[in-house]
Amino acid sequence: MLKRLHKFSLKKVMLLTALVLLALLVVGCSQQTSTAPATAPEKETSGDATQKQDTQAGGATPTKVSDTEIAQTQCTECHEMWPEIATWQTSVHANVPCLTCHKGYDPQQNKSAHDSGSFQKPIAIRNNPVSDDACRSCHAMQNRLATLLPDLIAPHEKHEAAKVPCLSCHRFVTHGNIAERKVTTRPEYSDYSKWSPQLAKQAAPQVMRRPNMFVCINCHEQRKVTTKCAACHYYPDRKSLPSHENPEWKVIHGREGRKDVNNCAKCHYDKESQKFATPSTGDLIADFARANSYCYGCHLKRPANHDGAWMSKHPQMAKDKGLQNCFACHDKNQPRPNVTGTYCNTCHWFQDPKPAAEQAQKK
């Protein structure tokens, strides 16, 4: 009995000893792990870093602008170029390096203007324009039959044979025409350091990057080529539109539009914009014209008959043609967007009619 009890006690002691040793071993390992210096993550090799940069914005590290990224190239070193960089970055040419199109351009040639602050605003490359060869390096003219709108007939091969430069139609595609439109002279876009892709999309939406119909019609008229709708558009509903070749078309087109504004919208309405301006002017065709860049782009220009003697002539002209014609380009009171800054009540005191409810209450 004593022998058996001794044997049991010995086993128990050995088991407890083993457990204590195991516990000490675990604690020792834990301490070693906690006190050992943390191994730093492997640094990106220069090759990997270069590869990562090359995948972003034309092969350079992006620059932070207002919590967004603007691509950085050699051109970005001058902040005056940021509007051009941001519009390029949001264009269909975003993956094409600047000097692929602007061949022969040396950024250093404008360094003195940058250093002295004597550069012209809005900035523009006034020499070495983009050449047709630069376009042909990516685009084949032989198979480009239709672009832009689904029904547009645009045989590039014929235009090339007629020696029509690519920029005649496509000069806005990358930068959204911000230089000619003097976008950077407007207060909301004048701080070059705030330009970002988001701002570029706002300042140069897609509608501003495509050739409008004026570009085509003006070129056809200069070259004495037909301007009939069916020459450029093959949708059947275009064939019923009134002829724009009437010499009086610029004078009568508003009256034609009032007959059916939907006829105007077949060609002159961009699906990316609103169809009618709000609040309404009370005239559907005026609402359409004020919402449409194709229309108001012309309406904002001073007509030829608004010459030095216009002030004395305009009362009779307004009487003969009706004030409605004036309101195509002007407002009675302080102008709303897309209307000329000259308004009637600068000199006159025209009163707006009282709302119908207010008139009824007075009665």
Side-chain angles (χ1 to χ4, degrees), residues 33-321:
T33 303
S34 62
T35 57
T39 305
E42 263 187 53
K43 287 187 178 179
E44 212 174 34
T45 63
S46 58
D48 292 338
T50 304
Q51 185 177 6
K52 185 178 179 182
Q53 287 176 2
D54 284 343
T55 62
Q56 301 181 56
T61 306
T63 300
K64 283 284 184 181
V65 181
S66 304
D67 297 325
T68 61
E69 290 182 346
I70 182 171
Q72 187 169 359
T73 69
Q74 186 179 4
C75 300
T76 322
E77 292 173 9
C78 296
H79 75 278
E80 298 93 343
M81 291 290 290
W82 283 22
E84 279 64 34
I85 296 297
T87 47
W88 159 74
Q89 191 179 354
T90 52
S91 77
V92 294
H93 287 158
N95 293 324
V96 181
C98 304
L99 296 184
T100 300
C101 298
H102 297 289
K103 292 181 183 294
Y105 173 69
D106 179 9
Q108 292 299 316
Q109 71 189 39
N110 288 326
K111 187 177 185 307
S112 60
H114 165 77
D115 292 343
S116 63
S118 61
F119 60 90
Q120 298 178 39
K121 289 185 180 181
I123 63 169
I125 296 177
R126 293 170 174 82
N127 53 4
N128 298 326
V130 177
S131 67
D132 287 354
D133 288 339
C135 300
R136 290 193 198 98
S137 67
C138 294
H139 303 290
M141 298 299 107
Q142 295 77 14
N143 58 4
R144 298 183 74 79
L145 299 179
T147 54
L148 305 175
L149 301 173
D151 76 318
L152 186 67
I153 303 167
H156 285 65
E157 191 173 10
K158 286 186 178 180
H159 287 76
E160 185 183 31
K163 301 190 184 305
V164 178
C166 300
L167 290 193
S168 292
C169 302
H170 301 294
R171 65 184 181 275
F172 310 146
V173 67
T174 301
H175 301 298
N177 195 24
I178 59 172
E180 290 183 37
R181 290 164 49 218
K182 301 188 186 311
V183 169
T184 54
T185 64
R186 304 175 196 171
E188 63 269 36
Y189 303 119
S190 60
D191 187 347
Y192 288 13
S193 66
K194 291 183 179 177
W195 273 78
S196 63
Q198 286 76 5
L199 195 66
K201 288 177 183 177
Q202 177 184 320
Q206 288 304 315
V207 66
M208 293 298 182
R209 298 176 188 257
R210 296 196 292 261
N212 62 44
M213 200 174 299
F214 277 131
V215 172
C216 305
I217 290 176
N218 290 343
C219 184
H220 278 220
E221 287 176 346
Q222 290 169 10
R223 292 170 176 261
K224 302 191 185 315
V225 181
T226 180
T227 57
K228 288 183 179 177
C229 299
C232 298
H233 299 279
Y234 56 78
Y235 276 2
D237 62 353
R238 303 298 198 268
K239 294 177 181 176
S240 62
L241 297 176
S243 172
H244 292 33
E245 294 186 332
N246 186 332
E248 294 295 309
W249 180 249
K250 285 186 178 180
V251 177
I252 66 171
H253 71 276
R255 292 199 295 272
E256 288 291 330
R258 284 194 176 92
K259 293 177 183 177
D260 185 0
V261 72
N262 290 317
N263 262 340
C264 305
K266 287 176 182 176
C267 299
H268 303 299
Y269 165 51
D270 190 281
K271 302 297 187 293
E272 295 174 2
S273 60
Q274 58 179 350
K275 192 170 183 178
F276 299 102
T278 53
S280 173
T281 64
D283 181 3
L284 202 60
I285 194 68
D287 293 344
F288 177 79
R290 293 183 183 198
N292 191 299
S293 62
Y294 179 82
C295 301
Y296 68 68
C298 187
H299 287 188
L300 289 173
K301 297 174 184 175
R302 189 183 181 98
N305 66 352
H306 286 39
D307 53 21
W310 178 247
M311 288 297 288
S312 61
K313 294 190 297 184
H314 83 276
Q316 189 60 45
M317 190 72 75
K319 185 178 179 181
D320 293 344
K321 294 199 168 189

Side-chain angles (χ1 to χ4, degrees), residues 22-35:
L22 182 62
L24 289 172
L25 184 63
V26 169
V27 170
C29 288
S30 300
Q31 287 179 343
Q32 186 177 359
T33 303
S34 62
T35 57

